[in-house]
Amino acid sequence: MSVLVEKMNVLAGHFREERKALSKAHEETKIGEVTAGQVLGGMRGIPALVCDTSSVNADEGLRIRNIPILDLTTKLPEEIFWLLLTGEHPTSAEVEELRAEFANHADIPDYVFDVLKAMPADSHPMTMFSTAVLVMGRESKFRKQYDEGLGKNDLWKPMLEDSIILLGRITGIAAAIYRLKFRDGSRIAPDPSLDWGANYAKMLGVSDNPKFTELIRMYLVLHSDHEGGNVSAMTGNTVSSALSDIYYSISAALNGLAGPLHGLANQECLAFVMEIYEHFKGVPSDEDLKKFAWDRLNSGQVIPGYGHAVLRVEDPRFTAFYNFGKANIDTTQDPIFGIVDALYKVIPGVLTEQGKAKNVKPNVDAASGSLLYHFGLKEYDFYTVMFGVSRAMGICAQVVLARAAGNGLIRPKGLTTPQLKKLLGA
Ligand code: HAX
């Protein structure tokens, strides 16, 4: 931990100076124009935030610290968290330091389980997950130090400490929710010698297959971050900008991730695949699948797992999952991945024919669920929690960096419709 804090201390100083200099020299420099369409369309595409952890280009997809995500798929999640924060690849000693830090914080206070058990049995796993994170706010180091008069330049330090504690616990919390909701409620203890991803795979208790562990690590890496403007990252950043602690920030981010146009889409994707399976009792022919997709579109529904708000090419995270499936799953033995494979061949053509979607290619959610399903993690209500565990890494890194850079309160201007109409001369 100390090496990471020391490194971050040096970086934070440079970071703050750079931001100060940019603000001073360019306070009035215009970097774009805003159209009424963008304002009415959910602030779509307005360059309004600085996020250094990762970037997403329409024609390429995710880069973490300017490294294409497909070059990082075999890294450990610990390496990715270090990279997100510092912009540097950690040495093996540094990876071990972070791994041990996460393992040291793997113990979860009993009151978290008491709260989870007290929740109504039909609570969605994401509601349970967000609640479990929020309830730990009483332990925030940031809140305590802030109350004691923490200086502005040091606001990021306890935020980083809280992030490490939260990430250390978050896999155990997610696994506990899984086992409470879908198994007998017993919890599997973490193994302090394992890495973060392997421990998570172990605590879920669905498969001993080393390929499942490999998948979980890759899942954590692929979902770790997606720049700053998506619903969950922006929400986490906005809440943190009010100097709320990491528990408030990540819980709020998870609430955004729980929406069907964002993280919940991966649950909907597998539900869609299962619907096809139930309907055809196996993998349908391309013709049958095409008709099924058209019927869905004609009833006013979207095709889950296809299209993207920013990307205009196949999502490289889908590519990674799909390649993993192709390498490890025999589609003649597993109709669920077989349907995912068949959809990949058919849906882009259907959506092109329909002519509405700006991107007809698969996104990250199109294949991830079928792989979890293959290894026995079949309860797709849980899939957004899987996503949330991973994304917590990126949002923690983003809010720590925002504090280190001395970013201000996020406060765009809201307009009434009459004010907008006046601006438009309408
Ligand atoms: N199926 C059918 N129609 C689609 C479509 C799809 N997969 N993707 C886009 N369209 C439609 C939109 O509904 C929209 O129709 P209207 O003009 O009638 O409103 C039109 O095409 C233009 O949309 P767009 O500009 O291409 O896409 P948006 O930025 O508005 O929306 C979405 C992006 C991801 C929400 C959209 O593509 C969608 O609904 N996809 C299916 C759900 C999904 O896979 N979500 C997961 C996204 C990945 C993610 O963020 N995960 O967290």
Side-chain angles (χ1 to χ4, degrees):
M1 179 59 182
S2 56
V3 178
L4 182 57
V5 172
E6 272 168 36
K7 204 172 269 281
M8 286 298 297
N9 212 10
V10 175
L11 291 171
H14 293 312
F15 213 24
R16 252 192 324 273
E17 288 315 311
E18 188 181 41
R19 286 291 168 88
K20 248 190 235 156
L22 281 172
S23 302
K24 203 169 158 204
H26 295 287
E27 203 172 348
E28 303 296 332
T29 309
K30 286 192 179 161
I31 58 162
E33 288 179 347
V34 179
T35 66
Q38 286 179 302
V39 172
L40 292 167
M43 300 193 276
R44 192 65 63 92
I46 299 174
L49 302 154
V50 178
C51 168
D52 287 313
T53 54
S54 67
S55 56
V56 179
N57 295 325
D59 55 0
E60 186 194 33
L62 174 64
R63 276 175 176 252
I64 290 185
R65 291 288 189 168
N66 210 24
I67 303 166
I69 188 67
L70 286 177
D71 294 347
L72 296 169
T73 53
T74 55
K75 300 282 179 200
L76 285 176
E78 288 90 334
E79 296 180 80
I80 299 299
F81 185 60
W82 192 286
L83 179 65
L84 285 162
L85 269 174
T86 65
E88 294 169 13
H89 285 290
T91 63
S92 41
E94 289 167 344
V95 176
E96 172 49 27
E97 182 190 280
L98 191 54
R99 189 206 65 75
E101 265 310 310
F102 285 159
N104 282 344
H105 294 296
D107 280 342
I108 299 157
D110 282 343
Y111 70 83
V112 175
F113 302 120
D114 293 342
V115 169
L116 289 174
K117 282 186 210 146
M119 290 181 77
D122 61 354
S123 301
H124 191 278
M126 277 303 276
T127 315
M128 297 171 80
F129 191 34
S130 169
T131 304
V133 170
L134 187 62
V135 80
M136 292 189 293
R138 58 186 284 282
E139 297 182 49
S140 169
K141 310 270 182 209
F142 167 74
R143 219 193 289 173
K144 187 164 178 292
Q145 291 183 32
Y146 179 81
D147 288 345
E148 288 164 3
L150 187 66
K152 209 175 166 191
N153 290 349
D154 291 330
L155 292 174
W156 64 271
K157 286 182 184 164
M159 202 66 170
L160 176 58
E161 206 181 336
D162 281 343
S163 295
I164 304 270
I165 295 170
L166 174 60
L167 291 173
R169 290 177 178 178
I170 206 164
T171 47
I173 290 172
I177 292 170
Y178 178 74
R179 298 191 59 81
L180 188 62
K181 186 98 186 144
F182 305 113
R183 301 286 160 123
D184 62 4
S186 64
R187 294 195 297 276
I188 298 170
D191 174 347
S193 71
L194 293 180
D195 62 80
W196 196 58
N199 237 331
Y200 185 27
K202 177 181 188 287
M203 289 187 286
L204 285 165
V206 294
S207 171
D208 293 334
N209 188 333
K211 283 285 165 194
F212 178 65
T213 305
E214 198 183 305
L215 172 65
I216 293 297
R217 289 193 190 110
M218 188 175 79
Y219 190 105
L220 291 165
V221 168
L222 293 179
H223 286 88
S224 61
D225 203 35
H226 216 230
E227 65 112 296
N230 62 74
V231 169
S232 52
M234 189 167 150
T235 303
N237 272 295
T238 305
V239 172
S240 171
S241 82
L243 297 188
S244 301
D245 61 48
I246 199 76
Y247 301 96
Y248 282 124
S249 306
I250 296 298
S251 176
L254 292 173
N255 296 341
L257 195 73
L261 294 188
H262 192 17
L264 202 81
N266 66 11
Q267 155 176 345
E268 298 205 331
C269 271
L270 200 73
F272 174 57
V273 172
M274 295 308 292
E275 196 186 320
I276 295 170
Y277 177 71
E278 296 298 334
H279 187 84
F280 295 102
K281 306 285 177 238
V283 184
S285 68
D286 287 0
E287 268 321 295
D288 283 346
L289 197 52
K290 200 170 162 187
K291 183 177 176 315
F292 191 89
W294 267 113
D295 287 347
R296 187 178 168 99
L297 290 175
N298 290 335
S299 73
Q301 291 175 277
V302 298
I303 306 291
Y306 285 76
H308 201 271
V310 176
L311 280 175
R312 294 297 172 255
V313 290
E314 176 175 307
D315 190 332
R317 300 169 300 170
F318 168 84
T319 313
F321 279 132
Y322 181 75
N323 290 344
F324 182 94
K326 283 302 238 184
N328 295 295
I329 300 175
D330 176 354
T331 48
T332 60
Q333 301 297 315
D334 181 340
I336 303 305
F337 186 68
I339 291 171
V340 167
D341 196 20
L343 285 166
Y344 182 41
K345 292 187 191 104
V346 167
I347 296 300
V350 171
L351 289 177
T352 304
E353 215 176 317
Q354 190 204 29
K356 277 168 75 174
K358 294 194 187 76
N359 177 8
V360 299
K361 297 285 170 79
N363 61 53
V364 62
D365 298 327
S368 58
S370 65
L371 304 182
L372 297 173
Y373 194 92
H374 176 80
F375 289 101
L377 212 164
K378 297 191 170 178
E379 300 82 0
Y380 37 89
D381 270 12
F382 187 70
Y383 290 177
T384 314
V385 176
M386 298 289 298
F387 191 161
V389 169
S390 325
R391 189 53 60 87
M393 274 194 287
I395 301 177
C396 282
Q398 288 191 24
V399 299
V400 169
L401 288 177
R403 294 237 174 133
N407 286 4
L409 181 71
I410 295 177
R411 182 41 171 115
K413 174 80 188 132
L415 297 172
T416 63
T417 306
Q419 284 171 333
L420 178 65
K421 280 182 165 170
K422 197 171 165 201
L423 284 172
L424 295 171

